[in-house]
Amino acid sequence: AAARGRCVFTTVECLRHAHLSGRVVDESENAYQQSEVGQVEANCLGRAKINWMMCGSVPWEPVEMVYLPTGAAAVYPPPDQTKAAFDHFSHPLVGHGDGLSVSGLWDDDA
């Protein structure tokens, strides 16, 4: 089995999987085995868009991937696209928490 706990993602709000909102979530066993996200930094960071789509593709709810062995991170959608989504609103959205809690593995929460 592939070593876990090396490729994680987080988002403030994951609308399609609310139990993942505001948590730091380890990638799935499948991603570790088939995409080598625990061994290859670029493969881990490249999953930001996949996990953003899994959460519902909400333009103002970016997903951040972190490859823990190096601390490298990637965000999707990029900050300029997120800002553009917010600019469509006449007033700021409220109710978004700014704290994150660490959860168990993705497979445990599914």
Side-chain angles (χ1 to χ4, degrees), residues 15-73:
L15 296 179
R16 291 173 78 190
H17 301 279
H19 64 285
L20 301 178
S21 297
R23 294 176 148 183
V24 176
V25 182
D26 196 6
E27 262 295 358
S28 68
E29 181 69 29
N30 186 51
Y32 276 95
Q33 290 180 355
Q34 295 187 4
S35 300
E36 297 184 329
V37 298
Q39 291 78 37
V40 182
E41 178 182 286
N43 293 2
C44 173
L45 301 182
R47 292 195 46 91
K49 183 176 182 179
I50 293 166
N51 285 315
W52 175 75
M53 291 169 57
M54 179 268 305
C55 279
S57 304
V58 180
W60 54 85
E61 296 293 355
V63 167
E64 180 176 18
M65 298 297 306
V66 180
Y67 185 66
L68 294 175
T70 63

Side-chain angles (χ1 to χ4, degrees), residues 10-12 21-24 96-102:
T10 188
T11 184
V12 172
S21 297
R23 294 176 148 183
V24 176
H96 290 278
D98 53 4
L100 296 177
S101 60
V102 177

